[in-house]
């Protein structure tokens, strides 16, 4: 798996990532969602440089020009519920992308031990399409692998791009072991470790709760 880590170079992206981490700012859930959306927009733009284009002729009021236009058929799949603001950011750039939604949640067996449960899926066929997986927090990588194992049954995709906001190195290593070799990861930043509950340290906390409020 090739990893594109956008914290390697300074850009405005790091302002948005700082705001979603900062305990004084992240509690404003509207701002939290919008920042994740903005990160999704930037990572989409960067990922778009890796897609396939063909040439068309565009007629302007004053002439004609041959221009490149996106050729790939894309399906965007988000992991509910934390993936929704990132999903919106990606949708903002890819006008005619198809959409899939999947649920993957941590079912706790003990306080620290959990398994990933996938219960809901709505997807178009993935045959010959580019699959984009949106998951803001790539922590253990267990949810992404569970999602991929489920989606595999719905057609043979051409390639997979994972878009993530914060990833832990451990999760990247796990995903890279279980996904096809030509998978790309587009990530705003990478943190060093996970705590015993599988949260990214320093990370930002629970992305789903920050975006949508606490759950039972
Ligand atoms: N999901 C989150 O929301 N935060 C983490 O740190 C890990 C998984």
């Amino acid at each position: 798996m090739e990893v594109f880590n956008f914290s390697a170079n300074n850009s405005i992206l790091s302002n948005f990532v700082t705001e979603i981490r900062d305990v004084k700012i992240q509690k404003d859930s509207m701002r939290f969602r919008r920042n994740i959306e903005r990160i999704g927009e930037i990572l989409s733009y960067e990922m778009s440089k890796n897609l396939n284009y063909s040439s068309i002729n565009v007629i302007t009021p004053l002439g004609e020009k041959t221009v490149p236009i996106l050729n790939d058929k894309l399906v965007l799949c988000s992991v509910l519920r934390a993936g929704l603001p990132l999903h919106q950011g990606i949708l903002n750039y890819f006008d005619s992308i198809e959409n899939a939604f999947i649920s993957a949640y941590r079912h706790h067996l003990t306080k620290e031990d959990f398994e990933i449960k996938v219960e809901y899926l709505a997807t178009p066929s993935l045959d010959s399409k580019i699959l984009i997986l949106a998951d803001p927090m790539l922590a253990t990588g267990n949810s992404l692998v569970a999602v991929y194992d489920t989606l595999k049954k719905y057609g043979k995709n051409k390639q997979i791009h994972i878009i993530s906001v914060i990833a832990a190195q451990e999760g990247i290593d796990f995903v890279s072991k279980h996904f096809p070799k030509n998978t790309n990861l587009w990530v705003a930043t990478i943190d060093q470790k996970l705590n015993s509950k599988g949260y990214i340290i320093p990370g930002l906390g629970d992305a789903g709760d920050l975006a949508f409020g606490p759950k039972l």
Side-chain angles (χ1 to χ4, degrees):
M1 179 167 80
E2 190 161 359
V3 179
F4 298 87
N5 171 12
F6 291 94
S7 66
N9 295 309
N10 289 338
S11 77
I12 192 65
L13 182 62
S14 73
N15 281 43
F16 306 149
V17 176
T18 301
E19 289 197 4
I20 59 173
R21 286 189 195 271
D22 189 326
V23 285
K24 294 195 293 292
I25 301 174
Q26 63 170 199
K27 287 190 183 68
D28 178 347
S29 58
M30 189 173 77
R31 190 161 171 185
F32 183 85
R33 291 192 301 270
R34 180 64 191 124
N35 275 322
I36 298 255
E37 194 179 325
R38 294 200 283 188
I39 293 165
E41 289 169 356
I42 292 171
L43 296 179
S44 293
Y45 170 72
E46 294 295 340
M47 186 201 66
S48 76
K49 297 175 187 172
N50 206 271
L51 299 174
N52 296 297
Y53 294 78
S54 55
S55 292
I56 61 157
N57 264 2
V58 66
I59 313 286
T60 80
L62 301 174
E64 198 173 320
K65 189 166 171 77
T66 305
V67 292
I69 189 137
L70 184 62
N71 204 16
D72 287 318
K73 289 192 164 63
L74 309 175
V75 177
L76 168 59
C77 181
S78 289
V79 184
L80 297 172
R81 65 189 163 141
L84 291 177
L86 193 58
H87 192 106
Q88 185 58 51
I90 299 165
L91 267 186
N92 290 350
Y93 276 24
F94 295 109
D95 305 351
S96 50
I97 199 165
E98 291 181 272
N99 294 271
F101 296 95
I102 190 162
S103 73
Y105 72 93
R106 293 174 173 190
H107 173 66
H108 279 271
L109 307 165
T110 64
K111 251 191 167 177
E112 291 181 354
D113 193 19
F114 59 85
E115 59 183 17
I116 303 296
K117 289 227 180 229
V118 172
E119 281 180 351
Y120 175 82
L121 171 68
T123 184
S125 163
L126 304 177
D127 248 338
S128 309
K129 296 174 189 166
I130 304 253
L131 174 61
I132 301 167
L133 293 175
D135 191 4
M137 304 297 282
L138 202 182
T140 61
N142 283 312
S143 331
L144 267 184
V145 171
V147 162
Y148 173 58
D149 283 343
T150 306
L151 287 175
K152 266 197 256 188
K153 300 163 201 152
Y154 295 86
K156 191 168 166 24
N157 66 74
K158 252 171 78 175
Q159 197 187 1
I160 300 174
H161 294 282
I162 300 167
I163 295 189
S164 196
V165 177
I166 304 180
Q169 192 55 51
E170 194 178 318
I172 295 176
D173 296 342
F174 186 74
V175 164
S176 138
K177 241 185 253 159
H178 289 86
F179 272 65
K181 280 215 159 33
N182 67 345
T183 301
N184 289 328
L185 169 66
W186 306 84
V187 62
T189 190
I190 297 174
D191 285 359
Q192 280 321 308
K193 59 178 185 182
L194 298 175
N195 69 9
S196 59
K197 292 182 175 161
Y199 277 86
I200 298 175
I201 305 297
L204 51 74
D206 189 304
D209 285 1
L210 287 161
F212 300 112
K215 58 195 174 297
L216 289 175

